[in-house]
Amino acid sequence: MKPPLLPEFATHEVVNQVPRLENYNLYAADPALREAVAREGAEGAGEADAWLLARGAELGSAGMIALGEAANQVPPTLKLFDGGGRRRDEVEFHPAYHDLMAYLKRHGASAGPWAEPGPGAHVRRAAFVLMYAQIEAGTMCPTTMTYAVVPSIMRDAPLAAEWLPRIFSRDYDPRFLPAAQKRGVTLGMGMTEKQGGSDVRANTTRAEPVGNRQYRIVGHKWFFSAPMCDAFLILAQAPAGLSCFFLPRFTPDGEINGIRIQRLKDKLGDKSNASSEVEFCGAQAWLVGDQGRGIPTILEMGTYCRLDCALGTAGLIRGAVAQAVHHAHHRAAFGRQLSEQPLMRNVLADLALEAEAAAALALRLARAFDGDAGEEASLLRRILTPAAKYWICKRGPAVAAEAMEVLGGNGYVEEGPLARIYRQMPLNSIWEGSGNVMCLDVLRAIGRDSRCLEALAAELAPARGRNAAFDAFAARLQDDLAQPALAEGESRRLTQRIALAVQGALLVRFAPAGVAQAFCASRLAGADFAGGAFGNLPGSVDFSTIIERARPA
Ligand SMILES: Cc1cc2nc3c(=O)[nH]c(=O)nc-3n(C[C@H](O)[C@H](O)[C@H](O)COP(=O)(O)OP(=O)(O)OC[C@H]3O[C@@H](n4cnc5c(N)ncnc54)[C@H](O)[C@@H]3O)c2cc1C
């Protein structure tokens, strides 16, 4: 018989551990986001506010947070064959993945602004995406691609007539069936091949015409995310050059199309979502746009994906910062709450500035996508999309690492949310144009149409005269942008400065004075911002205002 434990060793009281951050309203608790919706959401902002309040409560519920965790704990599995050795080429997901996909579809994340256009429709969706990313990021992949594909489909009348009603449907239907038998669909994209994803002109996949805009596709894709989507836009070499094709999962006669999944990627993060390698063995596909015009045709889809990369990472940043601020208010060390320790307050405030600036920039970018926004908006969108994707996504991993450290050892273990956020962070920076490619795209935008710079100047002008650091920063930037030849090798610096200038302008105009001053003093004053460790704000900063504003509950 075992001797009984001595009473003093039998148990211990658990103290100073932080309650889980749950059952709070993600929207009500984020004044920076709420104010961004109010100013960017046009006439739709009032209605959007009420709608987002309802979504914020749902998303912050313990049940929704648990779904996000479950979907990532059990990654999808590939079922290549059935018991009889016949090919299935299906991916099976945890039920939580399907629940989350259904939630996103139901609330219009994959097509709402197209199905029900209106003032501020893209901004409303943008705020929803920014909140949703705090709960689960993998399900955003097929959702983003479905949202992003719509403009390309709209340009093709027969495709639009057949597919838009399915894309616009609010029903999520995960069954592996021909699209005509389903209540709703999702779409993906296939550009990246083994030999390179940035320079897609090097694609080797071939498209052989069989008549009537129909082609036979032979080749492969090296990254093919969400392979259970119902159709894809892909690039392949046609007789007249690289072209864009619509490739459904099933052929019109109801057979599984010639897409052979080879394996699923074993990824750093993004665990809930399946990313695959595929081969096309004579798959049936239909030309979208003109032969030889594949890149411009598919790039429109890419542009909307880039908007979502900026939004998704702004959401992950907010999620990380919310966890850090929450933790610091509930955890004590050396006899005081962490949130009361001067050095920790500096770190928290600096993180909070990053979250507010990211949300402001991402929502401003989303407004440039709203249909009625005009020519200046499209010029601004041209230069700001790559700049915002570049800078917000570059800041993400640094924020996640610092926020994790605020939680100490608890930040590093999988039971908490920071490990998942940290692993997810680099993805949006790599996907759909990695950092350098974004910077080269900024140069391309300026080189092709210098009116982009006028649109940028117009964006910065209303903030002038309110903060000396901002004024000097904006003036220097505009002088440098006016130089006749912009050096490719320095385009990261230039892109970063464009993003920082727009963030500064938004905060100077709209954020509380303490937030704007701290941002300008730490990111815009003096030598170019080096982006070193967080927690280097000057002592004059209004720490209380900034931290309280970022406190989630
Ligand atoms: C999880 C995940 C899911 C994905 N899903 C999809 C998908 O569904 N569909 C799809 O098509 N792709 C997908 N991708 C692929 C992704 O878009 C590519 O990985 C990305 O575009 C980079 O291409 P690459 O990997 O071939 O890198 P490369 O093209 O080899 O680039 C490597 C590095 O070189 C840099 N570089 C390239 N050209 C230059 C230059 N001229 N000057 C300076 N630097 C340069 C790039 O910025 C990058 O940092 C996915 C990727 C990941 C990680």
Side-chain angles (χ1 to χ4, degrees):
M1 207 173 111
K2 274 191 190 167
L5 285 172
L6 294 173
E8 61 267 38
F9 294 119
T11 184
H12 67 279
E13 194 189 349
V14 177
V15 294
N16 201 26
Q17 284 286 358
V18 174
R20 261 167 78 89
L21 179 56
E22 59 188 15
N23 295 323
Y24 73 110
N25 188 315
L26 263 59
Y27 190 61
D30 189 354
L33 177 62
R34 209 167 170 185
E35 289 162 23
V37 170
R39 66 175 176 266
E40 311 293 1
E43 302 97 85
E47 203 190 310
D49 191 67
W51 186 83
L52 289 163
L53 268 177
R55 301 293 80 76
E58 290 161 2
L59 287 168
S61 68
M64 196 60 99
I65 292 168
L67 281 181
E69 290 169 354
N72 284 276
Q73 276 156 3
V74 185
T77 49
L78 178 59
K79 302 292 172 195
L80 272 187
F81 301 97
D82 70 10
R86 288 171 289 267
R87 282 203 80 107
R88 276 180 65 194
D89 286 286
E90 281 189 73
V91 180
E92 285 181 1
F93 297 86
H94 188 276
Y97 175 91
H98 294 302
D99 289 349
L100 290 167
M101 286 297 295
Y103 179 81
L104 284 167
K105 260 261 181 210
R106 186 160 68 247
H107 292 300
S110 52
W114 308 116
E116 288 151 37
H122 288 274
V123 168
R124 172 168 126 154
R125 174 189 176 276
F128 179 48
V129 166
L130 196 149
M131 290 194 294
Y132 182 84
Q134 298 170 49
I135 302 306
E136 211 290 305
T139 38
M140 274 312 300
C141 173
T143 304
T144 288
M145 294 194 288
T146 307
Y147 163 69
V149 79
V150 173
S152 307
I153 303 265
M154 278 173 165
R155 286 184 209 295
D156 185 305
L159 261 187
E162 186 182 350
W163 282 82
L164 284 183
R166 298 169 187 155
I167 293 173
F168 288 177
S169 160
R170 297 275 176 140
D171 278 339
Y172 169 66
D173 189 340
R175 292 173 301 161
F176 191 41
L177 290 174
Q181 298 172 32
K182 290 179 62 166
R183 297 188 305 273
V185 296
T186 54
L187 274 81
M189 64 158 40
M191 292 201 280
T192 307
E193 297 186 2
K194 286 176 181 137
Q195 70 282 352
S198 303
D199 184 7
V200 290
R201 289 169 304 181
N203 272 193
T204 59
T205 295
R206 296 188 326 276
E208 299 157 6
V210 292
N212 207 13
R213 292 180 75 78
Q214 191 184 329
Y215 288 70
R216 195 172 161 272
I217 309 290
V218 178
H220 81 281
K221 294 293 163 188
W222 181 234
F223 278 91
F224 198 68
S225 285
M228 292 308 286
C229 284
D230 298 278
F232 305 84
L233 282 195
I234 64 141
L235 289 178
Q237 302 286 358
L242 194 63
S243 310
C244 179
F245 296 91
F246 183 85
L247 193 155
R249 202 69 157 75
F250 286 78
T251 62
D253 54 11
E255 296 297 319
I256 299 178
N257 207 349
I259 306 172
R260 297 281 181 262
I261 302 178
Q262 302 300 299
R263 58 176 176 168
L264 298 187
K265 297 282 193 191
D266 185 5
K267 296 173 288 184
L268 168 70
D270 199 50
K271 296 286 185 189
S272 67
N273 179 38
S275 298
S276 66
E277 297 162 16
V278 295
E279 287 184 3
F280 301 133
C281 9
Q284 290 182 26
W286 284 260
L287 182 67
V288 181
D290 293 332
Q291 256 199 46
R293 300 282 301 156
I295 294 177
T297 306
I298 209 165
L299 254 190
E300 191 169 20
M301 179 175 185
T303 301
Y304 282 91
C305 290
R306 289 171 184 178
L307 166 66
D308 265 21
C309 288
L311 287 165
T313 302
L316 287 166
I317 288 176
R318 166 64 190 160
V321 173
Q323 293 290 343
V325 175
H326 173 73
H327 186 90
H329 279 88
H330 290 273
R331 179 91 167 171
F334 300 98
R336 265 199 297 182
Q337 296 306 108
L338 291 175
S339 57
E340 300 298 320
Q341 315 269 3
L343 190 49
M344 181 58 92
R345 288 169 70 72
N346 200 321
V347 172
L348 294 176
D350 209 1
L351 287 171
L353 287 178
E354 202 61 47
E356 176 145 4
L361 177 57
L363 268 276
R364 173 64 189 93
L365 180 63
R367 170 151 69 91
F369 282 80
D370 261 317
D372 52 359
E375 193 188 31
E376 195 173 289
S378 72
L379 289 165
L380 184 68
R381 173 165 95 192
R382 181 66 192 86
I383 186 169
L384 201 54
T385 307
K389 177 186 186 292
Y390 171 74
W391 185 238
I392 293 173
C393 295
K394 274 280 164 268
R395 297 297 281 157
V399 169
E402 194 67 66
M404 179 185 282
E405 194 165 320
V406 172
L407 272 67
N410 283 354
Y412 197 70
V413 299
E414 293 288 349
E415 274 167 324
L418 258 301
R420 173 151 62 98
I421 292 177
Y422 183 76
R423 284 188 273 100
Q424 188 73 32
M425 274 295 191
L427 174 52
N428 282 335
S429 196
I430 293 172
W431 183 55
E432 199 46 63
S434 311
N436 287 354
V437 171
M438 290 300 91
C439 299
L440 296 176
D441 198 41
V442 167
L443 291 194
R444 194 173 306 116
I446 297 169
R448 288 225 174 125
D449 193 340
S450 59
R451 290 176 308 156
C452 287
L453 294 181
E454 291 164 25
L456 178 65
E459 181 68 17
L460 303 183
R464 291 280 182 97
R466 300 170 195 225
N467 180 293
F470 172 78
D471 289 350
F473 185 90
R476 267 201 330 273
L477 172 64
Q478 282 175 264
D479 283 350
D480 289 350
L481 286 169
Q483 299 303 313
L486 300 170
E488 195 174 305
E490 290 167 31
S491 55
R492 275 196 176 215
R493 201 169 139 251
L494 202 67
T495 303
Q496 165 180 328
R497 289 165 69 203
I498 291 170
L500 280 170
V502 176
Q503 288 181 326
L506 290 165
L507 297 185
V508 163
R509 289 171 69 192
F510 304 114
V515 171
Q517 281 159 11
F519 184 86
C520 294
S522 56
R523 271 81 165 160
L524 307 186
D528 275 357
F529 181 56
F534 287 92
N536 280 309
L537 298 176
S540 57
V541 156
D542 178 359
F543 293 102
S544 299
T545 298
I546 300 170
I547 296 170
E548 267 316 300
R549 201 168 151 75
R551 192 173 173 180

